[in-house]
Amino acid sequence: MREETDPPPQQPPPVEELMQELRSKATELLLREEWEESVHVYTQLINLCQHPDHLPKLRKSLCLALSNRAEARFRLRDFAEALKDCEEASRINETAHSKSLLCKGKILLALNRYSIALDCFKAALLDPHPNGGNLETLNAYVDRCKKLESQSKTGSFDLSDWVINGFPGKPPELAEYIGALQIKRSELSGRGLFATKNIDAGTLLFVTKAIAIERGILSSKDSDDNAQMVMWKDFVQKVVESATISPRIRHLISALSTGEEEEELEVPEIDIFRPETEEIGQSNEKVDMVRLMSTLDVNSLVEDSVSAKVLGKNSDYYGVGLWLLASFINHSCIPNARRLHVGDYLLVHASRDVKAGEEITFAYFDVLSPLDKREEMSRTWGFHCGCKRCKFEQLVCSRQEMEEIEMGLRRGTDVGGAISRLEEGMRRWMVRGKEKGYVRASFWDAYCEAYASDKSARRWGSRIPAADVAVDSVVEATGIDERVSKVLIQGSKRSGTSVMDMDKVLKLGRGLYGKVVKKHAMKRLLS
C-alpha cells in the first residue's frame, strides 16, 4: 500500500510578481479615490521596494509609489505625512520628478505656503520628461501661486467681479494675510490685537482661513437648541480631526484662551499665525478634549447675517467656525472693525480710522441697543463691558427722565416725540461730541422709525436732528452698521440722490464691507 504524503508547500510568488500585483491594486484604488486603502497598499509596495536587494534597480518604481501615496495622504488632509513622502521621493530621485513636485506644491498651497509651493511648481516645469497632461496643470498652479503670493504680501484683494456677477459658483480663492498688527496685553480683557500704525477706514486688517467650519440651513421650526447642537457636534469633530493630523494646528489652538486665568496666558508673537511659518515638528500628543471644548466655547464665531446676505444665503443660513487670529479680538460697544465671511475665509477690516497703538475691537452683539440690553447680552457672553461708552451711559441713563423715555418707547409712544425729548435732554445735560453719538446709537431703532416716516419728520421738524446729522454722529461714535447706512440711503432716494450724497454713502460702504470691493460693486451691495 502506497503511503500518502503531504502536498508540497506552495511557493510564494516571485517578488516581481507580488510587486506588480500590489502596484495594480494600489493604482486601481487610487483611481477609485479609496484613499485610506490605497495608502495601505502603497505602503506594502514601498516596503518591498525599499529592501536593500531591490532598491538599486527599483528607484523609479519607489519614487512613483511614494508620490502616489503622498497624493492619497494629501486627499486625506494628512499633510505632514504626505510632505514626508514627497521629500523622500525627491531624495531618491535626485533629478527633477514632476509628479512628486506637483504633489508637494499642492500640499504647500493647501497650507497657504505660497512662495515655497511656487518654487515646487516651477521646479516641476524643468523636468525634461513631465507626465503627459502635467504641463498645462503646472502652468495653472504657477499662475494661482503668483496671485495668492501677491495677495498675501500686499493685502490687495478685489471681490468686485464676484459681487457684480451675483456671487456665482464657489467663492473666489483667497490668500491668508496679516497687516500692521500685533498681539499685546489688553485693558479690556486678557490679550488683544493692536494696530502698529495708523489705519484708514475700510483697510483690510487680516484674512484668515477657518480651522474648521460647519454650515447649514435652519428653518424656523428647526432652529432650536437640538438642531444647533447637532451642527456643533459635527463642528467639534472637524476641529479634532484637524488638530489630530496637524501638530501646527494643535499648537496654535493651544495658544487660545479657555476663558480662565486670562492674565496668566502667554502673549504669542503674531508671526506664528502666518502661513509661511515653519511647520511644528511631528508630535504624538493627544488632543485634550476638555481644554478643546472650553477653547471652542470661548473662541468659535457664528457667521453673521451680513455675511449670509453677501454670500447670497437666506435668513435661515447658519454657520459656526474657528478662525484663530480673530479669537484675539475683544468686544467693545464702540467697535472699530467688522468681519466678512467669504467661503472658509474671514476678512476683517477697519470700520473706521484706527490710530497706531489702538486695540482692534469687534461688536460681539448688537451695539445699537440701550445700555440695559447690552449689559444683559454681555452677561450672556460671560464678561462685563467697561468701554468708554458704557461708562458714560451708566451715568446718563441713570437719570429718571432717560428711564421715562425708554419706558415710553416700550409702550409705543410716538417716536418723534421721544427723540425730541431725548435731544432736548442732551442739550440740558450738556452732552456733546461723541457722547451725543453714544446716546443716539442706543436709541437708533427709534431714530430709524422716525426717519422712515415723512409724516413724523414733518410733524417734529427741527425738533429732531436731520438724518445725515444723526448718522454722522453715530458713525463717529460707534462705527458703521447696516441700519445706519440704510437711513442715509433711504433719505438720499427720497430727496433725489446727488453726487455728494452717493460719495457719502460709498464712504459708509467702505466701513461696512471694506476696500475689497470697488465703487461699482459697492453700489450693488448697498442696494
Side-chain angles (χ1 to χ4, degrees):
M1 188 173 175
R2 197 167 172 185
E3 259 184 49
E4 290 188 10
T5 58
D6 292 333
Q10 285 190 334
Q11 295 296 319
V15 172
E16 291 79 4
E17 186 180 327
L18 179 57
M19 283 186 175
Q20 185 56 44
E21 183 182 326
L22 290 172
R23 189 181 295 113
S24 299
K25 184 178 180 181
T27 302
E28 183 184 347
L29 291 167
L30 198 68
L31 291 172
R32 293 209 309 252
E33 299 185 357
E34 296 181 24
W35 311 120
E36 289 189 15
E37 187 61 27
S38 68
V39 168
H40 175 68
V41 178
Y42 271 120
T43 299
Q44 291 179 296
L45 177 60
I46 288 166
N47 289 339
L48 275 176
C49 291
Q50 286 178 326
H51 191 280
D53 294 339
H54 308 145
L55 185 59
K57 58 183 179 181
L58 293 176
R59 285 182 178 276
K60 186 175 179 180
S61 296
L62 178 57
C63 188
L64 184 60
L66 285 165
S67 298
N68 286 337
R69 187 172 70 174
E71 178 70 26
R73 283 174 162 170
F74 165 68
R75 298 305 186 97
L76 291 168
R77 301 189 63 79
D78 190 355
F79 298 141
E81 291 301 315
L83 278 174
K84 284 182 180 180
D85 281 345
C86 291
E87 287 161 5
E88 180 65 11
S90 297
R91 187 187 65 79
I92 292 169
N93 190 342
E94 294 178 359
T95 59
H97 185 267
S98 59
K99 191 174 184 67
S100 60
L101 286 169
L102 172 60
C103 186
K104 184 176 181 180
K106 289 193 298 183
I107 298 164
L108 292 167
L109 185 57
L111 292 169
N112 297 329
R113 300 175 70 181
Y114 317 108
S115 299
I116 311 175
L118 180 58
D119 291 340
C120 288
F121 295 131
K122 285 181 176 179
L125 285 170
L126 299 176
D127 188 340
H129 306 291
N131 195 321
N134 274 5
L135 194 59
E136 187 178 342
T137 301
L138 284 168
N139 281 316
Y141 274 119
V142 166
D143 291 340
R144 276 178 63 190
C145 278
K146 286 180 178 178
K147 178 183 176 182
L148 294 170
E149 184 183 28
S150 175
Q151 288 180 348
S152 180
K153 289 180 177 178
T154 65
S156 298
F157 295 75
D158 188 356
L159 305 179
S160 300
D161 289 342
W162 184 57
V163 171
I164 290 172
N165 292 327
F167 319 105
K170 292 182 178 180
E173 186 177 24
L174 304 176
E176 288 200 293
Y177 163 77
I178 299 177
L181 302 169
Q182 66 179 145
I183 303 170
K184 291 170 51 180
R185 294 282 176 203
S186 168
E187 293 181 1
L188 296 176
S189 176
R191 304 161 300 177
L193 212 55
F194 291 79
T196 58
K197 69 177 185 179
N198 293 339
I199 298 172
D200 296 333
T203 300
L204 198 61
L205 298 173
F206 65 88
V207 179
T208 182
K209 189 177 182 180
I211 294 300
I213 192 165
E214 181 68 17
R215 297 186 176 101
I217 303 296
L218 298 178
S219 63
S220 55
K221 64 179 181 180
D222 292 329
S223 58
D224 55 14
D225 290 343
N226 185 52
Q228 290 194 18
M229 280 302 296
V230 172
M231 290 187 69
W232 176 260
K233 181 181 178 182
D234 293 340
F235 163 62
V236 171
Q237 183 58 37
K238 288 181 178 180
V239 176
V240 171
E241 289 173 2
S242 295
T244 300
I245 62 178
S246 172
R248 180 173 184 267
I249 288 176
R250 190 157 63 247
H251 174 70
L252 294 178
I253 291 176
S254 71
L256 303 183
S257 168
T258 60
E260 298 179 358
E261 299 179 347
E262 294 280 338
E263 302 306 319
E264 303 297 322
L265 295 175
E266 180 184 348
V267 178
E269 292 290 333
I270 200 166
D271 284 347
I272 71 170
F273 296 96
R274 298 185 191 277
E276 62 268 25
T277 303
E278 284 294 323
E279 288 286 307
I280 305 298
Q282 187 69 31
S283 169
N284 295 321
E285 182 183 350
K286 291 185 177 180
V287 176
D288 183 338
M289 287 303 298
V290 174
R291 180 180 174 81
L292 179 65
M293 294 302 294
S294 298
T295 301
L296 294 181
D297 282 339
V298 174
N299 297 288
S300 58
L301 290 175
V302 172
E303 287 183 315
D304 54 15
S305 58
V306 180
S307 301
K309 180 178 70 177
V310 172
L311 289 168
K313 306 294 184 182
N314 63 34
S315 58
D316 296 325
Y317 173 84
Y318 177 82
V320 60
L322 177 65
W323 292 269
L324 295 172
L325 202 53
S327 300
F328 289 91
I329 299 183
N330 286 310
H331 166 84
S332 174
C333 293
I334 44 175
N336 56 20
R338 289 178 63 86
R339 55 191 171 99
L340 187 66
H341 298 264
V342 176
D344 289 350
Y345 287 83
L346 181 69
L347 290 76
V348 177
H349 68 270
S351 57
R352 48 201 177 98
D353 292 347
V354 177
K355 294 180 180 178
E358 185 178 345
E359 182 169 1
I360 306 300
T361 53
F362 274 154
Y364 285 11
F365 44 75
D366 182 11
V367 295
L368 296 185
S369 303
L371 176 65
D372 57 345
K373 287 189 177 180
R374 300 202 312 274
E375 288 179 334
E376 181 181 339
M377 287 185 281
S378 65
R379 284 194 295 271
T380 301
W381 276 81
F383 69 89
H384 170 74
C385 183
C387 70
K388 291 179 182 179
R389 177 184 172 191
C390 286
K391 289 177 180 177
F392 166 74
E393 288 187 55
Q394 283 165 0
L395 298 175
V396 174
C397 294
S398 61
R399 296 175 183 271
Q400 183 177 348
E401 189 172 355
M402 184 75 84
E403 293 175 357
E404 290 173 357
I405 294 171
E406 283 190 55
M407 193 174 297
L409 286 170
R410 292 194 189 102
R411 292 174 178 173
T413 189
D414 181 87
V415 291
I419 291 173
S420 173
R421 187 177 176 187
L422 182 63
E423 292 287 333
E424 175 58 32
M426 286 194 287
R427 281 191 287 272
R428 286 188 281 104
W429 306 328
M430 304 295 285
V431 175
R432 295 188 176 90
K434 283 189 177 181
E435 293 173 346
K436 190 176 286 188
Y438 294 159
V439 176
R440 286 171 175 163
S442 293
F443 290 87
W444 190 249
D445 284 346
Y447 281 87
C448 278
E449 190 177 337
Y451 295 133
S453 167
D454 289 333
K455 180 180 177 182
S456 180
R458 284 195 300 270
R459 178 182 176 188
W460 295 100
S462 60
R463 294 177 64 184
I464 64 175
D468 59 340
V469 172
V471 166
D472 285 345
S473 69
V474 170
V475 170
E476 182 187 7
T478 64
I480 188 62
D481 184 277
E482 290 78 8
R483 286 166 291 172
V484 177
S485 62
K486 185 178 180 181
V487 166
L488 189 63
I489 293 168
Q490 289 176 335
S492 297
K493 287 180 178 177
R494 283 199 298 268
S495 62
T497 305
S498 67
V499 175
M500 185 177 293
D501 290 330
M502 185 50 70
D503 284 345
K504 192 170 186 177
V505 168
L506 291 171
K507 183 179 179 181
L508 293 179
R510 283 197 295 273
L512 278 174
Y513 303 113
K515 295 179 181 178
V516 294
V517 288
K518 305 307 178 188
K519 188 173 182 178
H520 50 300
M522 187 70 73
K523 288 181 180 178
R524 179 182 176 91
L525 279 177
L526 293 172
S527 66

